[in-house]
């Protein structure tokens, strides 16, 4: 009698809590941080770089399966090996690691030879760029880079620097775009990621339907910056996160147009009619589809674009 009662109670609990099994086999991100013995920033970077894989949660957000936690914990020399892969450095420490002066290190970064992975504002409202230590080691030990590390900067590169070239914001945007696109499987959310790096006026010119723009703005990821929207910090963040040259803007607008076409096929934006008239040239509509472009998150697409910016 008691065995039947226990079985019945367990079955009833499963019926009343359909997500219980999923919660038992996966953890919220905060729980995964503790399980992997990482700092929050280390964990976030490990997810962005693909070292820790996440899955969509039943009620939104992302989770980490216990199988994935076991896989990561089973790696050799865990957690030190994972911490080494997500270690970041600023200019001074990065220059010391590479055996160059901070000024030379900054020149490398401005030329796009090394790509920042994060940034923040210090108490003086100055931008502090952070780089993956592992990538700096690879650059420093690369045979082809030896002349840059010890010799005089080539004249062509010096001319670009004298002209004010600084690819750090653009390269960070390209890298961040790839991170964000991998965080979601929702096609409208992917389109919103692309739109987040464009000025609102450019989004309006590219996406003519107001309902679709509203969906993009609703799903638009935000950069956490202290202070009010009109604060100096917010203005600096806007300059870093928003595309600012014609080549990059054109790339993003074409990708946004294609992303909206694909998202519309998946599902219409809330409130939008199922079929829309063609908009003016340069906009995207149900009857006007831009040509396919290379995936900006692939190494050949996005980072090829970034390298072209340093040529």
């Amino acid at each position: 009698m008691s065995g039947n009662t226990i079985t019945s109670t367990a079955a009833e609990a499963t019926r009343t809590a359909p997500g219980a099994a999923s919660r038992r086999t996966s953890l919220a991100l905060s729980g995964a941080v503790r399980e992997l013995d990482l700092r929050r920033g280390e964990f976030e970077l490990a997810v962005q770089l693909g070292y820790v894989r996440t899955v969509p949660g039943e009620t939104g957000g992302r989770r980490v399966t216990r199988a994935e936690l076991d896989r990561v914990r089973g790696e050799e020399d865990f957690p030190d090996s994972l911490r080494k892969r997500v270690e970041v450095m600023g200019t001074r420490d990065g220059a010391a690691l590479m055996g160059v002066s901070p000024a030379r290190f900054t020149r490398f970064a401005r030329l796009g030879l090394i790509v920042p992975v994060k940034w923040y504002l210090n108490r003086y409202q100055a931008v502090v760029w952070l780089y993956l230590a592992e990538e700096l080691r690879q650059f420093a030990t690369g045979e082809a880079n030896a002349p840059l590390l010890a010799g005089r900067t080539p004249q062509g590169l010096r001319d670009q620097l004298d002209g004010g070239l600084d690819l750090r914001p653009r390269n960070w945007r390209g890298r961040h775009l790839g991170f964000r696109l991998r965080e979601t499987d929702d096609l409208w959310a992917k389109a919103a990621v692309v739109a987040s790096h464009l000025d609102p006026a450019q989004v309006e010119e590219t996406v003519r339907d107001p309902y679709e723009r509203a969906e993009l703005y609703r799903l638009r990821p935000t950069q956490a910056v202290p202070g009010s929207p009109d604060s100096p910090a917010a203005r600096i963040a806007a300059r870093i996160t928003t595309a600012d040259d014609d080549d990059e803007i054109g790339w993003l607008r074409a990708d946004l147009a294609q992303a909206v076409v694909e998202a519309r096929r998946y599902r219409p934006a809330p409130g939008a009619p199922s079929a829309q008239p063609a908009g003016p040239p340069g906009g995207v509509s149900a009857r006007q589809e831009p040509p396919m472009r290379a995936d900006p998150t692939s190494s050949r697409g996005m980072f090829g674009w970034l390298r072209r910016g340093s040529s």
Side-chain angles (χ1 to χ4, degrees), residues 270-293:
S274 58
Q276 305 166 30
V284 61
S285 72
R287 299 179 189 176
Q288 180 184 0
E289 298 185 8
M292 291 292 290
R293 292 174 57 88

PDB file of all heavy atoms in Angstrom, residues 270-293:
ATOM      1  N   PRO A 270       5.204  40.994 -33.960  1.00  0.00           N
ATOM      2  CA  PRO A 270       3.881  41.259 -33.367  1.00  0.00           C
ATOM      3  C   PRO A 270       3.259  42.530 -33.928  1.00  0.00           C
ATOM      4  O   PRO A 270       3.879  43.595 -33.933  1.00  0.00           O
ATOM      5  CB  PRO A 270       4.198  41.410 -31.872  1.00  0.00           C
ATOM      6  CG  PRO A 270       5.445  40.622 -31.672  1.00  0.00           C
ATOM      7  CD  PRO A 270       6.244  40.792 -32.940  1.00  0.00           C
ATOM      8  N   GLY A 271       2.036  42.394 -34.433  1.00  0.00           N
ATOM      9  CA  GLY A 271       1.308  43.535 -34.963  1.00  0.00           C
ATOM     10  C   GLY A 271       1.553  43.806 -36.420  1.00  0.00           C
ATOM     11  O   GLY A 271       0.817  44.571 -37.053  1.00  0.00           O
ATOM     12  N   ALA A 272       2.591  43.206 -37.005  1.00  0.00           N
ATOM     13  CA  ALA A 272       2.903  43.476 -38.407  1.00  0.00           C
ATOM     14  C   ALA A 272       1.978  42.693 -39.314  1.00  0.00           C
ATOM     15  O   ALA A 272       1.630  41.538 -39.024  1.00  0.00           O
ATOM     16  CB  ALA A 272       4.352  43.100 -38.689  1.00  0.00           C
ATOM     17  N   PRO A 273       1.532  43.278 -40.438  1.00  0.00           N
ATOM     18  CA  PRO A 273       0.729  42.522 -41.407  1.00  0.00           C
ATOM     19  C   PRO A 273       1.565  41.412 -42.005  1.00  0.00           C
ATOM     20  O   PRO A 273       2.791  41.491 -42.083  1.00  0.00           O
ATOM     21  CB  PRO A 273       0.347  43.572 -42.444  1.00  0.00           C
ATOM     22  CG  PRO A 273       1.376  44.627 -42.321  1.00  0.00           C
ATOM     23  CD  PRO A 273       1.775  44.651 -40.866  1.00  0.00           C
ATOM     24  N   SER A 274       0.908  40.369 -42.471  1.00  0.00           N
ATOM     25  CA  SER A 274       1.638  39.217 -43.007  1.00  0.00           C
ATOM     26  C   SER A 274       2.335  39.528 -44.310  1.00  0.00           C
ATOM     27  O   SER A 274       3.345  38.932 -44.655  1.00  0.00           O
ATOM     28  CB  SER A 274       0.675  38.033 -43.212  1.00  0.00           C
ATOM     29  OG  SER A 274      -0.380  38.415 -44.088  1.00  0.00           O
ATOM     30  N   ALA A 275       1.785  40.469 -45.098  1.00  0.00           N
ATOM     31  CA  ALA A 275       2.431  40.860 -46.355  1.00  0.00           C
ATOM     32  C   ALA A 275       2.525  42.373 -46.391  1.00  0.00           C
ATOM     33  O   ALA A 275       1.563  43.067 -46.081  1.00  0.00           O
ATOM     34  CB  ALA A 275       1.640  40.348 -47.550  1.00  0.00           C
ATOM     35  N   GLN A 276       3.664  42.887 -46.772  1.00  0.00           N
ATOM     36  CA  GLN A 276       3.883  44.320 -46.761  1.00  0.00           C
ATOM     37  C   GLN A 276       4.249  44.793 -48.157  1.00  0.00           C
ATOM     38  O   GLN A 276       4.892  44.063 -48.906  1.00  0.00           O
ATOM     39  CB  GLN A 276       5.028  44.678 -45.807  1.00  0.00           C
ATOM     40  CG  GLN A 276       4.823  44.161 -44.398  1.00  0.00           C
ATOM     41  CD  GLN A 276       6.127  44.248 -43.624  1.00  0.00           C
ATOM     42  OE1 GLN A 276       6.945  45.100 -43.875  1.00  0.00           O
ATOM     43  NE2 GLN A 276       6.324  43.335 -42.693  1.00  0.00           N
ATOM     44  N   PRO A 277       3.879  46.015 -48.533  1.00  0.00           N
ATOM     45  CA  PRO A 277       4.329  46.547 -49.816  1.00  0.00           C
ATOM     46  C   PRO A 277       5.822  46.806 -49.801  1.00  0.00           C
ATOM     47  O   PRO A 277       6.409  47.022 -48.745  1.00  0.00           O
ATOM     48  CB  PRO A 277       3.546  47.855 -49.953  1.00  0.00           C
ATOM     49  CG  PRO A 277       3.278  48.263 -48.538  1.00  0.00           C
ATOM     50  CD  PRO A 277       3.061  46.969 -47.775  1.00  0.00           C
ATOM     51  N   ALA A 278       6.405  46.778 -50.984  1.00  0.00           N
ATOM     52  CA  ALA A 278       7.841  47.048 -51.077  1.00  0.00           C
ATOM     53  C   ALA A 278       8.135  48.469 -50.646  1.00  0.00           C
ATOM     54  O   ALA A 278       7.412  49.402 -50.991  1.00  0.00           O
ATOM     55  CB  ALA A 278       8.319  46.826 -52.508  1.00  0.00           C
ATOM     56  N   GLY A 279       9.200  48.645 -49.862  1.00  0.00           N
ATOM     57  CA  GLY A 279       9.572  49.967 -49.392  1.00  0.00           C
ATOM     58  C   GLY A 279      10.501  50.646 -50.369  1.00  0.00           C
ATOM     59  O   GLY A 279      10.856  50.091 -51.411  1.00  0.00           O
ATOM     60  N   PRO A 280      10.918  51.857 -50.059  1.00  0.00           N
ATOM     61  CA  PRO A 280      11.840  52.589 -50.925  1.00  0.00           C
ATOM     62  C   PRO A 280      13.183  51.878 -51.012  1.00  0.00           C
ATOM     63  O   PRO A 280      13.497  51.010 -50.200  1.00  0.00           O
ATOM     64  CB  PRO A 280      11.977  53.955 -50.224  1.00  0.00           C
ATOM     65  CG  PRO A 280      10.822  54.029 -49.294  1.00  0.00           C
ATOM     66  CD  PRO A 280      10.503  52.624 -48.902  1.00  0.00           C
ATOM     67  N   PRO A 281      13.995  52.191 -52.009  1.00  0.00           N
ATOM     68  CA  PRO A 281      15.314  51.558 -52.119  1.00  0.00           C
ATOM     69  C   PRO A 281      16.105  51.725 -50.835  1.00  0.00           C
ATOM     70  O   PRO A 281      16.105  52.778 -50.210  1.00  0.00           O
ATOM     71  CB  PRO A 281      15.974  52.322 -53.276  1.00  0.00           C
ATOM     72  CG  PRO A 281      14.828  52.840 -54.083  1.00  0.00           C
ATOM     73  CD  PRO A 281      13.737  53.154 -53.080  1.00  0.00           C
ATOM     74  N   GLY A 282      16.804  50.672 -50.460  1.00  0.00           N
ATOM     75  CA  GLY A 282      17.631  50.716 -49.245  1.00  0.00           C
ATOM     76  C   GLY A 282      16.929  50.124 -48.043  1.00  0.00           C
ATOM     77  O   GLY A 282      17.547  49.785 -47.057  1.00  0.00           O
ATOM     78  N   GLY A 283      15.584  50.005 -48.097  1.00  0.00           N
ATOM     79  CA  GLY A 283      14.853  49.397 -46.996  1.00  0.00           C
ATOM     80  C   GLY A 283      14.620  47.929 -47.277  1.00  0.00           C
ATOM     81  O   GLY A 283      14.900  47.425 -48.353  1.00  0.00           O
ATOM     82  N   VAL A 284      14.092  47.216 -46.284  1.00  0.00           N
ATOM     83  CA  VAL A 284      13.792  45.804 -46.447  1.00  0.00           C
ATOM     84  C   VAL A 284      12.301  45.604 -46.293  1.00  0.00           C
ATOM     85  O   VAL A 284      11.663  46.183 -45.421  1.00  0.00           O
ATOM     86  CB  VAL A 284      14.582  44.939 -45.428  1.00  0.00           C
ATOM     87  CG1 VAL A 284      14.224  45.309 -44.007  1.00  0.00           C
ATOM     88  CG2 VAL A 284      14.321  43.458 -45.651  1.00  0.00           C
ATOM     89  N   SER A 285      11.709  44.816 -47.165  1.00  0.00           N
ATOM     90  CA  SER A 285      10.279  44.533 -47.105  1.00  0.00           C
ATOM     91  C   SER A 285      10.057  43.084 -47.480  1.00  0.00           C
ATOM     92  O   SER A 285      10.975  42.370 -47.861  1.00  0.00           O
ATOM     93  CB  SER A 285       9.506  45.434 -48.078  1.00  0.00           C
ATOM     94  OG  SER A 285       9.759  45.023 -49.406  1.00  0.00           O
ATOM     95  N   ALA A 286       8.791  42.632 -47.382  1.00  0.00           N
ATOM     96  CA  ALA A 286       8.494  41.248 -47.667  1.00  0.00           C
ATOM     97  C   ALA A 286       8.755  40.902 -49.126  1.00  0.00           C
ATOM     98  O   ALA A 286       8.974  39.751 -49.466  1.00  0.00           O
ATOM     99  CB  ALA A 286       7.035  40.936 -47.313  1.00  0.00           C
ATOM    100  N   ARG A 287       8.698  41.879 -50.030  1.00  0.00           N
ATOM    101  CA  ARG A 287       8.896  41.607 -51.445  1.00  0.00           C
ATOM    102  C   ARG A 287      10.282  42.013 -51.942  1.00  0.00           C
ATOM    103  O   ARG A 287      10.564  41.901 -53.112  1.00  0.00           O
ATOM    104  CB  ARG A 287       7.840  42.375 -52.264  1.00  0.00           C
ATOM    105  CG  ARG A 287       6.416  41.967 -51.914  1.00  0.00           C
ATOM    106  CD  ARG A 287       5.431  42.771 -52.738  1.00  0.00           C
ATOM    107  NE  ARG A 287       4.068  42.562 -52.287  1.00  0.00           N
ATOM    108  CZ  ARG A 287       3.028  43.219 -52.798  1.00  0.00           C
ATOM    109  NH1 ARG A 287       3.215  44.109 -53.749  1.00  0.00           N
ATOM    110  NH2 ARG A 287       1.822  42.989 -52.343  1.00  0.00           N
ATOM    111  N   GLN A 288      11.087  42.518 -51.074  1.00  0.00           N
ATOM    112  CA  GLN A 288      12.394  43.031 -51.474  1.00  0.00           C
ATOM    113  C   GLN A 288      13.449  42.374 -50.615  1.00  0.00           C
ATOM    114  O   GLN A 288      13.637  42.715 -49.456  1.00  0.00           O
ATOM    115  CB  GLN A 288      12.431  44.551 -51.291  1.00  0.00           C
ATOM    116  CG  GLN A 288      13.752  45.177 -51.688  1.00  0.00           C
ATOM    117  CD  GLN A 288      13.765  46.649 -51.385  1.00  0.00           C
ATOM    118  OE1 GLN A 288      12.789  47.184 -50.875  1.00  0.00           O
ATOM    119  NE2 GLN A 288      14.856  47.297 -51.681  1.00  0.00           N
ATOM    120  N   GLU A 289      14.157  41.398 -51.153  1.00  0.00           N
ATOM    121  CA  GLU A 289      15.112  40.641 -50.375  1.00  0.00           C
ATOM    122  C   GLU A 289      16.517  40.962 -50.846  1.00  0.00           C
ATOM    123  O   GLU A 289      16.823  40.856 -52.036  1.00  0.00           O
ATOM    124  CB  GLU A 289      14.842  39.141 -50.503  1.00  0.00           C
ATOM    125  CG  GLU A 289      13.466  38.754 -49.958  1.00  0.00           C
ATOM    126  CD  GLU A 289      13.267  37.260 -49.993  1.00  0.00           C
ATOM    127  OE1 GLU A 289      14.234  36.549 -50.296  1.00  0.00           O
ATOM    128  OE2 GLU A 289      12.149  36.806 -49.721  1.00  0.00           O
ATOM    129  N   PRO A 290      17.388  41.362 -49.940  1.00  0.00           N
ATOM    130  CA  PRO A 290      18.768  41.642 -50.323  1.00  0.00           C
ATOM    131  C   PRO A 290      19.506  40.361 -50.642  1.00  0.00           C
ATOM    132  O   PRO A 290      19.083  39.279 -50.247  1.00  0.00           O
ATOM    133  CB  PRO A 290      19.346  42.309 -49.067  1.00  0.00           C
ATOM    134  CG  PRO A 290      18.540  41.738 -47.957  1.00  0.00           C
ATOM    135  CD  PRO A 290      17.144  41.530 -48.514  1.00  0.00           C
ATOM    136  N   PRO A 291      20.594  40.428 -51.380  1.00  0.00           N
ATOM    137  CA  PRO A 291      21.362  39.228 -51.697  1.00  0.00           C
ATOM    138  C   PRO A 291      21.975  38.622 -50.455  1.00  0.00           C
ATOM    139  O   PRO A 291      22.245  39.304 -49.476  1.00  0.00           O
ATOM    140  CB  PRO A 291      22.445  39.742 -52.659  1.00  0.00           C
ATOM    141  CG  PRO A 291      22.583  41.193 -52.313  1.00  0.00           C
ATOM    142  CD  PRO A 291      21.193  41.647 -51.934  1.00  0.00           C
ATOM    143  N   MET A 292      22.197  37.318 -50.511  1.00  0.00           N
ATOM    144  CA  MET A 292      22.827  36.624 -49.399  1.00  0.00           C
ATOM    145  C   MET A 292      24.262  37.116 -49.237  1.00  0.00           C
ATOM    146  O   MET A 292      24.951  37.422 -50.200  1.00  0.00           O
ATOM    147  CB  MET A 292      22.844  35.113 -49.660  1.00  0.00           C
ATOM    148  CG  MET A 292      21.461  34.486 -49.612  1.00  0.00           C
ATOM    149  SD  MET A 292      20.775  34.509 -47.945  1.00  0.00           S
ATOM    150  CE  MET A 292      21.836  33.320 -47.156  1.00  0.00           C
ATOM    151  N   ARG A 293      24.696  37.190 -47.967  1.00  0.00           N
ATOM    152  CA  ARG A 293      26.071  37.586 -47.667  1.00  0.00           C
ATOM    153  C   ARG A 293      26.721  36.515 -46.815  1.00  0.00           C
ATOM    154  O   ARG A 293      26.052  35.662 -46.250  1.00  0.00           O
ATOM    155  CB  ARG A 293      26.099  38.921 -46.898  1.00  0.00           C
ATOM    156  CG  ARG A 293      25.652  40.101 -47.725  1.00  0.00           C
ATOM    157  CD  ARG A 293      25.577  41.341 -46.864  1.00  0.00           C
ATOM    158  NE  ARG A 293      26.841  41.629 -46.235  1.00  0.00           N
ATOM    159  CZ  ARG A 293      27.798  42.363 -46.799  1.00  0.00           C
ATOM    160  NH1 ARG A 293      27.643  42.855 -48.002  1.00  0.00           N
ATOM    161  NH2 ARG A 293      28.922  42.613 -46.159  1.00  0.00           N
TER     162      ARG A 293
END
